[in-house]
Amino acid sequence: MTIFSNKALVHKHVLITGATGGIGIETAQTLALMGARITITGRNKEKLKKLKGELLQQMPVDRLCMLEADLTKEEDRIRLVEYAESELGFVNGLVNSAGVSGGKLVEELDESFIEEMMNLNFMSTFLLTQKVYRKMLEHGEGDIVNLASLSGLRGTYGNTAYSASKFAVVGWTQSMAVEAIARGIRVNAVCPGYVDTEMARNSLHGKAQRNGTSFEEELENTEKGIPSGRLSTASEVAHTIAFLLTNAAQNIVGESLKISGGSVMR
């Protein structure tokens, strides 16, 4: 179900990174129903092609662009922005959904693990955004939504590197938002807790392995700790992202919107 008009984003060309992940897929499908032009990107070509086929059942082919890209590579970031604009015009919406999860205790961390986490979740996203933002500055408009996490708002056990990367995303969102809004560009973030996606299930499997429990036990314990009694859905996160891209959210600036089922309130 969607609460949005099928023309709410007809004026937008939105670039969605991490479009092969659970939240990225739902975001692309939601924005398609709202009339946006969409460029989808990710590292898994087969998943991208599958998503493209699904999207073409609900949107015209001339409003959809697909490109496989590794955002940790400068040449891919350049190629992505240039190709998206050559196919569908000025990118005035950006959803940074690409990223990874993973938890280790502090004493188990090594430099390569930390570097990879920071690069995938923060640095490569920042550098891509910088390229898109420079184009937005030329036009004096644009909306950017970063996928952060509740782990970017408070620390949790065995989650140091991931939490650090998401705190970086939240801090960057807030600081950039202050600069950007005076130029007609809004920057915000969404901060989901556990979302019922493959990434979250992998995280719970890892937690179960560390604790010597089962996946089912960890899922039950996690749901018991959430006032709403359940994980969020990818669709709920996608709808929040979509809202932030619409004109209905014009004075929401530099926020980190929590999707926590009541588990974090402040």
Side-chain angles (χ1 to χ4, degrees):
M1 176 183 290
T2 179
I3 64 169
F4 301 107
S5 158
N6 60 7
K7 295 183 179 180
L9 293 176
V10 72
H11 61 296
K12 286 286 189 187
H13 173 197
V14 184
L15 170 57
I16 305 169
T17 73
T20 56
I23 292 173
I25 290 170
E26 287 288 341
T27 299
Q29 292 171 340
T30 298
L31 301 190
L33 291 172
M34 296 169 68
R37 286 166 288 143
I38 300 171
T39 294
I40 54 173
T41 190
R43 293 188 289 181
N44 189 314
K45 189 173 184 178
E46 292 307 310
K47 286 186 177 181
L48 275 178
K49 289 171 66 175
K50 181 176 184 292
L51 175 59
K52 180 180 179 180
E54 294 171 352
L55 290 172
L56 287 177
Q57 296 178 28
Q58 59 194 48
M59 68 186 300
V61 66
D62 62 355
R63 297 185 71 81
L64 178 62
C65 174
M66 181 197 90
L67 185 68
E68 179 188 4
D70 182 348
L71 300 185
T72 65
K73 299 177 180 177
E74 172 69 2
E75 60 269 25
D76 277 22
R77 294 191 293 265
I78 294 171
R79 183 168 57 93
L80 174 61
V81 176
E82 290 180 348
Y83 184 71
E85 294 205 334
S86 69
E87 291 292 303
L88 299 180
F90 166 52
V91 176
N92 57 355
L94 174 62
V95 176
N96 285 311
S97 183
V100 294
S101 64
K104 290 185 178 182
L105 298 176
V106 171
E107 64 270 24
E108 299 170 343
L109 291 170
D110 56 42
E111 186 174 349
S112 63
F113 184 93
I114 298 168
E115 284 183 348
E116 181 179 22
M117 185 72 69
M118 293 301 294
N119 192 16
L120 290 169
N121 286 356
F122 172 63
M123 184 58 73
S124 61
T125 299
F126 179 96
L127 292 172
L128 173 69
T129 301
Q130 188 180 54
K131 295 187 185 306
V132 176
Y133 179 61
R134 285 170 176 156
K135 300 278 188 176
M136 290 178 173
L137 288 174
E138 294 174 8
H139 292 261
E141 66 158 302
D143 292 288
I144 299 168
V145 181
N146 298 320
L147 187 64
S149 169
L150 292 183
S151 293
L153 301 174
R154 49 85 172 110
T156 52
Y157 186 86
N159 219 18
T160 310
Y162 178 74
S163 187
S165 71
K166 292 302 184 177
F167 263 84
V169 171
V170 170
W172 157 46
T173 297
Q174 293 180 4
S175 294
M176 184 176 179
V178 175
E179 296 180 26
I181 192 58
R183 314 289 288 277
I185 300 160
R186 292 186 308 115
V187 185
N188 288 289
V190 295
C191 294
Y194 273 110
V195 182
D196 190 11
T197 62
E198 182 181 358
M199 182 181 287
R201 289 189 287 273
N202 288 340
S203 177
L204 289 172
H205 276 295
K207 192 173 181 180
Q209 189 174 31
R210 290 196 304 273
N211 295 338
T213 58
S214 68
F215 168 80
E216 290 74 19
E217 288 175 297
E218 290 300 335
L219 176 60
E220 182 181 359
N221 289 336
T222 297
E223 290 179 331
K224 283 181 179 178
I226 302 172
S228 68
R230 66 173 179 85
L231 307 186
S232 297
T233 68
S235 178
E236 288 168 332
V237 179
H239 278 76
T240 305
I241 291 169
F243 166 66
L244 289 172
L245 291 170
T246 69
N247 291 335
Q250 283 185 330
N251 207 34
I252 298 179
V253 176
E255 293 293 343
S256 301
L257 297 190
K258 298 183 296 296
I259 308 170
S260 72
S263 59
V264 176
M265 300 185 191
R266 66 178 179 86

